[in-house]
Amino acid sequence: MMGVARMFVKLADRDHVLNRSPFLEDEVRFNLLHLICSSPEALRIKNDSNELIFAQTPGFNPWLWIAPGLSKEREDELLRGLAEQVSSHDFPGISGDLEIAESFARYYTGSRGLKPEPYMMLEAYACPEVKPPADVSGTLERANSRHTEMIAAYLAAFSIEAFNVKPQPSEVYKAATAAIGTGGLYLWQEGGETVSIARIAHRTARHARINDVYTVPGARKKGYASAIVAALSDYCLRGGLTPMLYADVNNPDSNKVYQSIGFKSAGRIADLRFKR
């Protein structure tokens, strides 16, 4: 195997590898790499043949992409070399294709006394054409500063429900303020109440990623989540971007909502966590 230092290089700002084949074949599934790689604080690595991308925002799982169609021998060579290259870094886990993530985890955790464990499986979706739900009342409104307290409460509830994590009040207030400040956070209003929220979290050259979809418990099963996501998806498509999102495969309700309004599966991302 060639020297590890010569196999891997730093991924540059606006690196062409993210905008050319073969990455484009997997772009929806690995869309979050665009956001991670845009951060100046991120660890960003690729191999010199553009077959591998590895990027991590501090404190979060790194995401790992390997070009489809490589031989198992080449995959193994890349993963062994990558594990050696990043051996001085501490990661909470790894996210990517399940088999590739598991293989990297074996090499990376082997001498650390760590064990990779499944945490979440994400389904990646893209919506080429919106099918709005019928007979759902309400209106779409962009969130502003007067909604900050409410949004903070909704984001805290979403974190507890989706990830079993109770955030600190100061952290969730800061997150709500930042989300509103981007202009991408929207509300679905019905009868003078905010019944559902969703956010256009990030835009790339070809896609707009939607997240933070949350409906208050008393307003569920009435089509509000479908309505707000459909409205945002239509807005993105009219702006020339294909909407995409990630959903927990173990949440059948959210997957059903997205599929019903036109989202098509683009594959899965495994989220593994390293435990002692």
Side-chain angles (χ1 to χ4, degrees):
M1 183 173 69
M2 72 172 66
V4 171
R6 293 194 297 117
M7 180 184 290
F8 297 100
V9 296
K10 182 179 179 180
L11 191 146
D13 292 340
R14 300 182 179 87
D15 199 294
H16 64 80
V17 69
L18 292 168
N19 291 292
R20 293 182 182 176
S21 184
F23 179 77
L24 292 184
E25 300 170 28
D26 242 352
E27 185 178 31
V28 173
R29 191 161 61 122
F30 286 87
N31 186 270
L32 201 66
L33 276 172
H34 282 287
L35 177 62
I36 300 172
C37 291
S38 69
S39 170
E41 300 178 348
L43 172 66
R44 301 175 297 185
I45 297 170
K46 69 174 184 175
N47 79 313
D48 54 9
S49 300
N50 293 329
E51 299 163 312
L52 177 148
I53 302 171
F54 182 89
Q56 184 220 13
T57 303
F60 295 91
N61 271 19
W63 275 52
L64 169 60
W65 170 83
I66 286 184
L70 298 184
S71 68
K72 290 299 181 183
E73 292 77 11
R74 180 57 174 163
E75 282 186 5
D76 189 70
E77 179 186 25
L78 289 170
L79 293 171
R80 283 177 181 271
L82 176 65
E84 183 180 343
Q85 175 78 7
V86 300
S87 60
S88 63
H89 296 269
D90 292 321
F91 303 124
I94 184 69
S95 298
D97 178 85
L98 178 59
E99 290 187 8
I100 289 171
E102 288 178 335
S103 295
F104 169 80
R106 284 195 297 271
Y107 295 130
Y108 174 79
T109 62
S111 62
R112 292 172 173 262
L114 299 174
K115 179 182 179 182
E117 295 181 357
Y119 177 73
M120 185 179 293
M121 185 69 75
L122 299 174
E123 193 82 47
Y125 288 101
C127 183
E129 183 178 358
V130 180
K131 304 173 185 175
D135 303 321
V136 178
S137 58
T139 57
L140 184 71
E141 180 181 336
R142 180 176 287 170
N144 58 50
S145 59
R146 67 185 174 85
H147 300 116
T148 304
E149 295 283 352
M150 176 191 67
I151 294 301
Y154 285 7
L155 291 180
F158 175 78
S159 178
I160 293 169
E161 286 189 29
F163 308 111
N164 197 30
V165 174
K166 185 177 181 180
Q168 293 295 320
S170 59
E171 293 176 354
V172 78
Y173 188 89
K174 182 179 179 180
T177 301
I180 291 169
T182 66
L185 186 61
Y186 289 81
L187 321 173
W188 193 261
Q189 305 278 48
E190 166 57 23
E193 300 290 334
T194 299
V195 293
S196 192
I197 66 171
R199 180 163 73 111
I200 302 173
H202 186 241
R203 293 174 171 86
T204 66
R206 291 163 290 277
H207 296 91
R209 181 169 54 85
I210 296 171
N211 71 359
D212 293 340
V213 181
Y214 178 78
T215 302
V216 297
R220 294 174 183 174
K221 307 292 186 181
K222 297 181 180 180
Y224 298 135
S226 300
I228 190 170
V229 174
L232 293 191
S233 298
D234 182 66
Y235 174 77
C236 293
L237 284 167
R238 286 188 284 109
L241 298 177
T242 300
M244 64 80 53
L245 51 79
Y246 296 103
D248 182 352
V249 298
N250 289 321
N251 187 333
D253 290 339
S254 62
N255 283 268
K256 184 178 180 181
V257 163
Y258 303 139
Q259 292 166 7
S260 70
I261 58 177
F263 279 84
K264 308 294 183 184
S265 175
R268 293 184 173 184
I269 293 290
D271 183 341
L272 306 182
R273 300 294 167 92
F274 299 149
K275 305 291 185 180
R276 293 199 178 275

